Amino acid sequence: MQLEFHQVDAFSERPFSGNPAMVYRLDSWLSDELMQNIAAEHNLAETAFLVREGLGWHIRWFTPSTEVPLCGHATLAAAHVLFEVYSDSAERIDFIGKAGALSVTREGDRLVLDFPAMVPTSAAVTIELERALGVDIVDVYGSVELMVVLESEQAVRDCEPDMAALIRLPWPGVIVTARGETHDFVSRYFAPAIGVPEDPVTGSTHCSLIPYWSSRLGKLSLSAYQCSTRGGELFCRLEGDRVKIGGHARLVASGKLLLG
């Protein structure tokens, strides 16, 4: 059996930046074990699998070690593959995943994710968290992930967490964020507990970041930058109980996986 795959650098206009994701468009589902093994073989932050369902696509996302309920950059990558490789002429592609209905729309040269807003609530600063991050903490909030507000963009860039200590925290991952110098806000995301020590650019964390920074800055449209080594720019809007997360994507590789 041969399976066609496509690798996309999401939230970037050029190769070797943004967040790489692998995309498989399937005729029918593979076993969970096989999909997990394929994701581990590629060893990227996410591998997305798609199966046509009605007028849209059922989508699932796997890290090298586990399936996750929501992933932004791999959804952006999946839409890019459907648009550019498989010549989908629609202006919008609908997906259904574990987090419910999602979509990606073309807006000029950008693709825009439509995801649920996940408003974070205040959480306690713990000694374990402070030791794990090794930085001065301004505020802490929780939603699906733990979101830690730092004093400056430089503090976010300089953060060097203890990965073993992060794994022991009761959260799948930790976001660090601050007001940006040239963007409205910046962030980084660490998730060693799910096999991703640092994710280069994370769409799903912006489901919480956008409502928080929109409220704090008093604006609905925001520019964001995830300042990992690869880095990526996101164009954000808060629209009621939804967030719009825009970015670019670049196809960098295509090939076939040989099984059996």
Side-chain angles (χ1 to χ4, degrees):
M1 180 171 63
Q2 298 183 5
L3 299 174
E4 190 173 80
F5 63 77
H6 305 280
Q7 183 173 328
V8 173
D9 286 344
F11 295 112
S12 177
E13 294 182 276
R14 63 186 189 279
F16 314 125
S17 60
N19 200 352
M22 197 65 70
V23 179
Y24 283 83
R25 191 189 73 163
L26 305 173
D27 294 327
S28 59
W29 291 114
L30 307 172
S31 70
D32 289 4
E33 180 183 14
L34 179 54
M35 288 190 287
Q36 185 62 74
N37 285 338
I38 291 170
E41 180 73 14
H42 289 302
N43 200 32
L44 297 177
E46 301 287 349
T47 298
F49 297 92
L50 319 174
V51 171
R52 170 70 81 175
E53 192 170 276
L55 298 177
W57 295 87
H58 192 158
I59 186 167
R60 295 174 68 181
W61 311 273
F62 289 78
T63 77
S65 62
T66 191
E67 185 175 5
V68 296
L70 184 65
C71 178
H73 84 277
T75 305
L76 196 81
H80 183 74
V81 167
L82 292 174
F83 283 134
E84 302 300 328
V85 178
Y86 296 106
S87 302
D88 194 313
S89 60
E91 289 302 305
R92 166 175 154 168
I93 294 177
D94 292 307
F95 296 99
I96 187 71
K98 288 191 172 183
L102 314 167
S103 69
V104 180
T105 304
R106 289 196 259 210
E107 292 187 5
D109 64 344
R110 294 179 195 159
L111 298 179
V112 180
L113 299 165
D114 182 328
F115 271 24
M118 300 177 183
V119 180
T121 57
S122 183
V125 179
T126 65
I127 293 174
E128 291 78 11
L129 178 61
E130 289 182 319
R131 287 176 177 169
L133 292 177
V135 293
D136 293 329
I137 294 172
V138 176
D139 278 312
V140 179
Y141 295 85
S143 58
V144 176
E145 316 285 354
L146 194 65
M147 188 177 83
V148 180
V149 182
L150 305 185
E151 61 183 4
S152 67
E153 176 173 324
Q154 194 60 49
V156 172
R157 290 180 178 274
D158 291 344
C159 185
E160 296 184 6
D162 180 335
M163 294 297 170
L166 286 184
I167 289 174
R168 293 193 292 269
L169 297 175
W171 300 89
V174 176
I175 308 160
V176 293
T177 185
R179 182 82 178 263
E181 295 173 2
T182 59
H183 294 80
D184 288 311
F185 66 91
V186 298
S187 68
R188 290 171 70 191
Y189 177 57
F190 308 100
I194 59 172
V196 184
E198 180 172 3
D199 199 31
V201 192
T202 316
S204 60
T205 57
H206 287 73
C207 294
S208 296
L209 286 163
I210 293 170
Y212 171 80
W213 285 109
S214 176
S215 175
R216 180 164 168 181
L217 300 178
K219 55 196 302 187
L220 297 178
S221 295
L222 306 117
S223 63
Y225 187 75
Q226 191 155 333
C227 46
S228 65
T229 301
R230 291 175 64 102
E233 190 172 22
L234 307 95
F235 304 87
C236 309
R237 299 195 304 271
L238 180 64
E239 296 186 0
D241 62 354
R242 308 290 292 183
V243 293
K244 300 296 181 70
I245 308 165
H248 299 93
R250 175 73 178 264
L251 180 70
V252 295
S254 295
K256 291 182 179 179
L257 183 71
L258 307 180
L259 299 173

